[in-house]
Amino acid sequence: MTEIVFALLPNVVLLDVAGPAEAFRIANRLVPGSYTMRYIGSTRSLDSAVGLKLAALRPLPRRLADGSIIIVTGISGNHVDCSAPATAHPRRSDGSARRRLFRCHGGFRRR
């Protein structure tokens, strides 16, 4: 079973959570037991970009099982606090670094 970990930041764009989560939910329905999902954050609750409060978030685990996927969702705004626990570098069970997948809702903004 593959664990999907969504790292949520303040001002998260809900579409960046709901879209991938729904895809994994459907895939798990087609092949039961393939995926589990976990939602983590730098705090136990945070506000989304549309004002909906998301709660019962878990902290970033120190270690993840081999094969886990971390999805760092997009936010509304121009700044991400990279010192926040949800953006830290989790480690594999053997202590090596883990890959992350960044999901962004928008395109690039020209200045």
Side-chain angles (χ1 to χ4, degrees):
M1 181 174 303
T2 301
E3 182 176 37
I4 309 300
V5 179
F6 288 87
L8 307 180
L9 301 169
N11 293 318
V12 63
V13 175
L14 292 177
L15 187 58
D16 286 358
V17 180
E22 184 66 8
F24 285 111
R25 184 193 69 79
I26 291 169
N28 199 52
R29 189 183 75 211
L30 296 173
V31 183
S34 295
Y35 300 100
T36 60
M37 291 185 275
R38 182 185 340 189
Y39 303 90
I40 64 169
S42 55
T43 59
R44 295 278 296 151
S45 66
L46 54 82
D47 290 327
S48 70
V50 297
L52 180 67
K53 183 173 281 298
L54 302 175
L57 301 176
R58 297 178 184 169
L60 178 67
R62 290 194 180 275
R63 301 215 184 274
L64 292 171
D66 290 339
S68 295
I69 298 172
I70 301 173
I71 299 175
V72 180
T73 59
I75 62 165
S76 178
N78 296 326
H79 177 74
V80 174
D81 180 2
C82 291
S83 66
T87 61
H89 296 277
R91 301 284 174 183
R92 291 189 172 119
S93 56
D94 66 3
S96 61
R98 175 150 312 282
R99 289 186 185 176
R100 291 179 287 177
L101 170 67
F102 291 83
R103 168 76 176 103
C104 182
H105 65 283
F108 295 96
R109 192 173 109 185
R110 293 177 65 177
R111 290 184 183 230

